[in-house]
Amino acid sequence: MSLHKSLPRTLWTFGQPCPSLTSSSPADGISSRPPLPAMAVLPLLLCLLPLAPASSPPQPASPSPCPRRCRCQTQSLPLSVLCPGAGLLFVPPSLDRRAAELRLADNFIATVRRRDLANMTGLLHLSLSRNTIRHVAAGAFSDLRALRALHLDGNRLTSLGEGQLRGLVNLRHLILSNNQLAALAAGALDDCAETLEDLDLSYNNLEQLPWEALGRLGNVNTLGLDHNLLASVPAGAFSRLHKLARLDMTSNRLTTIPPDPLFSRLPLLARPRGSPASALVLAFGGNPLHCNCELVWLRRLAREDDLEACASPPALGGRYFWAVGEEEFVCEPPVVTHRSPPLAVPAGRPAALRCRAVGDPEPRVRWVSPQGRLLGNSSRARAFPNGTLELLVTEPGDGGIFTCIAANAAGEATAAVELTVGPPPPPQLANSTSCDPPRDGEPDALTPPSAASASASAKAAEAGPPTDRGVQVTEHGATAALIQWPDQRPIPGIRMYQIQYNSSADDILVYRMIPAESSSFLLTDLASGRTYDLCVLAVYEDSATGLTATRPVGCNRFSTEPALRPCGAPHAPFLGGTMIIALGGVIVASVLVFIFVLLMRYKVHGGQPPGKTKASAPVSSVCSQTNGALGPMPAPPAPEPSAPRAHTVVQLDCEPWGPSHEPMGP
């Protein structure tokens, strides 16, 4: 067969069955494979090529390998990476970035780094529960914009900053329980404030919360704050949580719960069987509730819980909250127990006005100036929560009657404090005869109370509580006082005495523990010119309960002496310095006298030290002693040259002797 004739047989169109490479003869049934012509091979190769359309869709990328010790579900969407209890020390770097679920619970991961979860934009659920995470890098979750649930419970986080949850704009469930959180930044929940539905902060160490930030969680359904250290809740903290269905504040340090518009809007605060789904479940058991008139609103609500109990006042301590009658939730109006006596200060000096009040609940103290203005913190005044008003720099116009107002839920009480501002003090002269107060550590001489100090103590006692005669201040000085009280040892069970005292210028209460056999004590750490309130308590063991209790022995008020005292002998350092200077002067003077004596002796002996003689030398002059006679003077004997001798000449009347003067004859 020619090539030209065989060509039409071998040209097959695409889509038709390919021709067989072998041909069989029906005659003999023997298969034969004749050699194919060259042109017949081309259509056969074209037939064997895979048929593909002109524009085929892109194939998906091959999945990343599954991390070691993990299980990956990649056959069907969504993809999941499951690594619970795999002993991981860090987030695996070979994660499939297309995963929608990532479970890394029960491992040993200590840090979540910025690159660990990068580019996982499709992740919906992330579980990091029960690891050892101490630090989450800022922006570690910034790429998880689709994340719905984040579990970080059972870790070791101590704080949560503003950038650690950045980017979680669709987060609905945030579980942070069983950590060590002590601080929560005000902006930590800003990105998820509008979407968050479940927030669990239980079993942490939170003492304060950014209540304003929590108040912006308008879609939250469940808020867990139980088992923390919260001591107060501001009024209106939950007023904007319109969808709140469960609020758990169990086992905190709450003494009261302020009324909130949310509670009045949903009066059913428990969810028994058959209650509507819109009811709010409020759990606050395990708190030291102070059952007074501030909790009447809560007592009036229908509840079926049995966990709440009163911790105070003592009359209601330990009783079931819902079993206490509404009429027993009472408050005590404030009573001013201490106020500053009339004060007189020179202009330009500070002044401290004090006002103390008691009541139930604890009253709040405010001050009104003589001009009728409410005083607070300013550049010239500071108001403290304990009722003290401090005027930093007084002016002549500050004098007058200041009014102290103590108010609580049961009422208010007022007291007047008079302040007199005098002219500024004259400058202190250098030769002033006033003496400084005794320094720290110097002994203070105790003296019996004088008539003036007794009168001052009596006036101070009139302004305060009555003085108990069981405790006496027998002697006192500027910095010390001797306290005596009756012997209480006949009372069985007394273990020791406790002395409590503080001054009119200091609100800190000082304690002293005294042995049971004592009946007096010397206080040596007092300040001069101050009034002190002092009480003595007996600490004994209650035989009925076996617990330690206290019993008041008595109280007293006394004033220490003023700071100025008569001048005494010079201080020891002054005497020591004077003695050293005097002794040094005596020594120097003695040395100078000794040197002067030596010089005089040297001059008297003619320039030779005493005890030494000169060698014989020609005599240039002779001094003789006369008795006033006018006769001729005898010639002195000639000295022997071989026998030098020492001699002393006393010259009374001298004349020169030399070659030109010959001795006169007889």
Side-chain angles (χ1 to χ4, degrees):
M1 181 182 296
S2 64
L3 180 61
H4 177 72
K5 293 182 178 181
S6 63
L7 184 59
R9 292 184 178 181
T10 57
L11 292 178
W12 303 92
T13 60
F14 294 117
Q16 294 181 351
C18 293
S20 176
L21 297 179
T22 60
S23 61
S24 59
S25 174
D28 50 11
I30 302 174
S31 299
S32 62
R33 183 175 299 173
L36 294 177
M39 293 300 295
V41 177
L42 181 60
L44 182 60
L45 295 177
L46 294 176
C47 181
L48 295 177
L49 291 175
L51 301 179
S55 61
S56 60
Q59 296 296 324
S62 59
S64 301
C66 188
R68 187 180 179 184
R69 302 179 183 177
C70 299
R71 293 181 294 106
C72 301
Q73 299 176 359
T74 58
Q75 284 75 16
S76 61
L77 296 177
L79 304 180
S80 299
V81 180
L82 309 178
C83 309
L88 300 176
L89 300 179
F90 48 84
V91 178
S94 59
L95 291 174
D96 194 334
R97 302 296 162 173
R98 302 172 302 164
E101 181 181 15
L102 177 59
R103 297 183 181 271
L104 299 171
D106 301 302
N107 283 287
F108 303 98
I109 301 174
T111 303
V112 180
R113 298 166 295 185
R114 175 66 181 85
R115 63 178 181 271
D116 288 341
L117 304 171
N119 300 325
M120 301 189 72
T121 55
L123 191 63
L124 300 176
H125 184 95
L126 174 60
S127 176
L128 291 165
S129 304
R130 297 176 298 280
N131 277 275
T132 60
I133 298 175
R134 295 179 179 271
H135 176 67
V136 176
F141 306 125
S142 58
D143 290 346
L144 311 183
R145 306 186 68 84
L147 192 68
R148 303 294 180 88
L150 175 59
H151 292 260
L152 281 169
D153 52 295
N155 284 284
R156 301 178 183 178
L157 295 173
T158 57
S159 62
L160 196 63
E162 297 185 355
Q164 292 176 292
L165 299 180
R166 185 187 308 140
L168 301 178
V169 294
N170 288 303
L171 190 65
R172 297 181 180 178
H173 306 279
L174 178 58
I175 313 300
L176 292 167
S177 59
N178 288 282
N179 275 277
Q180 301 172 8
L181 289 174
L184 190 67
L189 306 175
D190 284 352
D191 286 3
C192 55
E194 298 180 358
T195 61
L196 202 60
E197 299 177 359
D198 184 11
L199 176 60
D200 190 356
L201 292 169
S202 60
Y203 291 92
N204 280 286
N205 300 326
L206 294 170
E207 297 183 5
Q208 297 290 335
L209 277 176
W211 296 103
E212 184 178 354
L214 293 182
R216 297 198 301 266
L217 306 179
N219 290 317
V220 68
N221 295 323
T222 304
L223 182 57
L225 301 174
D226 56 291
H227 294 88
N228 277 281
L229 304 175
L230 301 176
S232 62
V233 177
F238 311 110
S239 59
R240 291 181 288 178
L241 306 184
H242 305 291
K243 297 184 179 180
L244 188 63
R246 181 176 181 82
L247 175 61
D248 193 349
M249 293 188 293
T250 306
S251 297
N252 277 275
R253 297 180 178 177
L254 299 175
T255 57
T256 186
I257 301 175
D260 197 280
L262 176 68
F263 305 143
S264 60
R265 187 170 60 251
L266 299 174
L268 295 177
L269 299 182
R271 185 173 292 177
R273 294 181 180 179
S275 62
S278 60
L280 172 65
V281 178
L282 174 61
F284 56 90
N287 285 282
L289 296 177
H290 184 64
C291 297
N292 60 0
C293 63
E294 292 183 320
L295 288 180
V296 172
W297 71 271
L298 186 59
R299 177 62 183 83
R300 293 174 179 174
L301 300 177
R303 288 294 301 266
E304 296 185 4
D305 296 355
D306 57 354
L307 297 177
E308 297 83 5
C310 297
S312 59
L316 302 179
R319 294 181 58 183
Y320 173 47
F321 182 84
W322 304 105
V324 178
E326 182 179 333
E327 67 279 359
E328 298 184 71
F329 286 80
V330 296
C331 291
E332 297 180 2
V335 176
V336 177
T337 60
H338 174 73
R339 57 188 175 92
S340 297
L343 298 179
V345 296
R349 297 289 181 87
L353 309 180
R354 290 173 174 81
C355 180
R356 299 178 190 169
V358 296
D360 186 13
E362 184 178 357
R364 179 186 176 187
V365 177
R366 294 173 296 172
W367 287 90
V368 177
S369 69
Q371 294 77 22
R373 298 192 306 270
L374 186 65
L375 299 177
N377 292 328
S378 64
S379 59
R380 296 186 57 245
R382 288 186 298 179
F384 297 91
N386 59 5
T388 300
L389 176 66
E390 183 178 0
L391 303 178
L392 303 179
V393 180
T394 56
E395 297 179 356
D398 292 337
I401 303 297
F402 288 79
T403 304
C404 160
I405 303 176
N408 64 3
E412 65 179 28
T414 61
V417 177
E418 182 180 359
L419 175 65
T420 303
V421 180
Q428 187 72 23
L429 300 179
N431 58 351
S432 176
T433 58
S434 62
C435 296
D436 295 333
R439 300 182 181 179
D440 296 339
E442 293 184 2
D444 181 27
L446 298 182
T447 59
S450 61
S453 61
S455 177
S457 299
K459 291 182 179 179
E462 292 177 0
T467 300
D468 193 337
R469 295 301 177 182
V471 175
Q472 299 294 329
V473 181
T474 57
E475 297 179 358
H476 63 79
T479 60
L482 180 61
I483 313 299
Q484 293 183 347
W485 59 89
D487 190 5
Q488 305 289 322
R489 281 180 293 180
I491 301 177
I494 291 184
R495 310 173 75 176
M496 64 185 67
Y497 293 103
Q498 184 185 75
I499 296 181
Q500 304 177 0
Y501 62 95
N502 64 337
S503 70
S504 58
D506 191 357
D507 295 326
I508 300 176
L509 196 61
V510 183
Y511 297 87
R512 293 288 185 269
M513 305 305 296
I514 313 300
E517 59 273 9
S518 302
S519 60
S520 63
F521 186 75
L522 177 62
L523 299 177
T524 58
D525 57 347
L526 306 179
S528 58
R530 293 187 182 180
T531 301
Y532 283 87
D533 294 323
L534 180 141
C535 290
V536 178
L537 294 87
V539 181
Y540 68 99
E541 183 176 354
D542 191 355
S543 58
T545 61
L547 302 176
T548 301
T550 58
R551 175 184 304 166
V553 175
C555 298
N556 203 326
R557 172 173 288 184
F558 64 94
S559 299
T560 56
E561 297 292 339
L564 298 180
R565 62 177 182 176
C567 293
H571 295 296
F574 174 77
L575 293 177
T578 304
M579 293 299 295
I580 291 175
I581 295 175
L583 184 60
V586 170
I587 294 175
V588 172
S590 301
V591 172
L592 293 177
V593 170
F594 181 73
I595 294 175
F596 179 75
V597 170
L598 290 181
L599 291 176
M600 291 300 297
R601 294 185 64 184
Y602 185 80
K603 182 177 180 181
V604 168
H605 290 283
Q608 291 293 334
K612 295 184 179 181
T613 58
K614 291 184 180 180
S616 59
V619 178
S620 60
S621 64
V622 176
C623 296
S624 60
Q625 180 178 2
T626 63
N627 56 2
L630 298 177
M633 296 179 60
E640 298 179 2
S642 60
R645 55 186 178 91
H647 62 277
T648 301
V649 179
V650 179
Q651 181 178 356
L652 297 179
D653 188 8
C654 298
E655 59 180 352
W657 183 269
S660 60
H661 292 78
E662 296 294 337
M664 298 178 64

